[in-house]
Amino acid sequence: QALSASTVELQGELRIVAPMSFGQRRLAPLVARFAASHDKLRVTLLLEDRETDLIDEAADLAIRIGSPTDSSMVARAIAPVPRFACASPGYLERRGCPETPADLLQHDCLHYNLIPEREEWTFLGDEGEQTVTITGSFCSNNGDVLAEAAMQGLGIALLPDFIVEQGLADGRLVRVLQDYERSPLTLFALYPSRRHVPAKTHGFLDCLLDHFAANR
């Protein structure tokens, strides 16, 4: 245990589960580089937009965005994940641009989850926190689907930066409510509570932390 993961030859199988959009955009290149650096280690990356049970999936590590709900797991904070409220230029031309969070009550907002019928967005401005219960006619459990819906003019989406950055860069999306802050989500790595973390898990955790520390 005194040896760091970097001095141990990693081997066996490392199974990682992660959200679909984040896994494709941010995690896949990192996992591929990690696998290439450890040729005796078999790496499996499973992408799915649901709360995966690590025991059922025989997984070593889960990547989560937002506060973990499974208290039986060790949760390691990795990095903040900024979020932006945005819509298409066409939608804003047609419906107007919200100037305060309360204005969202007059807009179609895109739900991130299929389960709840109500969703609350909280913003921080000069007058403190403002929480708005948003409504809209479109919802999905996948951020890319919501981003596409926003680009097609269906409403205002509140999504992580890695999902909307391309749409913002090429003008298909425009940020709204920029005078109001949204608390960033947190990227977590979850793994089973054990006295001794396996070297393969420890090695990938170090890789994650180094990567996101260098790219902040």
Side-chain angles (χ1 to χ4, degrees):
Q1 291 299 318
L3 295 174
S4 69
S6 61
T7 63
V8 176
E9 186 175 37
L10 304 185
Q11 53 189 324
E13 182 179 14
L14 177 67
R15 289 173 63 85
I16 305 163
V17 294
M20 185 72 67
S21 299
F22 182 82
Q24 292 173 324
R25 284 179 166 80
R26 292 287 197 267
L27 201 59
L30 179 63
V31 171
R33 290 196 298 270
F34 182 77
S37 299
H38 302 282
D39 55 6
K40 290 191 176 181
L41 184 67
R42 180 184 178 189
V43 179
T44 300
L45 177 59
L46 305 172
L47 302 182
E48 47 193 26
D49 288 329
R50 66 182 179 89
E51 289 286 330
T52 304
D53 188 300
L54 269 68
I55 305 302
D56 290 346
E57 293 285 354
D60 299 289
L61 194 76
I63 303 301
R64 297 275 187 271
I65 297 176
S67 299
T69 58
D70 190 344
S71 60
S72 68
M73 297 291 164
V74 177
R76 184 78 176 269
I78 303 298
V81 181
R83 291 179 289 175
F84 303 132
C86 50
S88 71
Y91 175 87
L92 297 175
E93 183 178 348
R94 187 172 73 252
R95 298 288 300 274
C97 186
E99 296 182 0
T100 69
D103 292 341
L104 293 174
L105 296 173
Q106 310 304 319
H107 284 269
D108 291 321
C109 296
L110 308 178
H111 293 254
Y112 184 74
N113 202 306
L114 286 171
I115 299 174
E117 295 180 357
R118 296 163 60 92
E119 186 172 348
E120 292 183 340
W121 293 356
T122 300
F123 295 85
L124 180 63
D126 293 338
E127 299 177 359
E129 285 191 353
Q130 298 182 47
T131 299
V132 179
T133 300
I134 59 99
T135 59
S137 58
F138 189 88
C139 58
S140 176
N141 68 339
N142 180 268
D144 281 310
V145 172
L146 293 178
E148 180 62 31
M151 289 187 284
Q152 295 292 336
L154 293 185
I156 298 173
L158 179 63
L159 292 168
D161 60 343
F162 61 87
I163 291 179
V164 298
E165 60 187 2
Q166 186 57 51
L168 291 172
D170 61 26
R172 290 177 295 166
L173 290 173
V174 177
R175 285 184 61 183
V176 299
L177 298 174
Q178 294 193 56
D179 292 336
Y180 296 85
E181 295 182 10
R182 281 288 299 177
S183 297
L185 297 169
T186 301
L187 179 70
F188 285 95
L190 275 65
Y191 50 95
S193 179
R194 298 172 181 161
R195 184 177 179 183
H196 301 301
V197 179
K200 59 183 180 179
T201 304
H202 199 289
F204 186 69
L205 276 171
D206 286 346
C207 181
L208 272 176
L209 289 165
D210 289 347
H211 174 79
F212 285 100
N215 287 278
R216 286 185 182 177

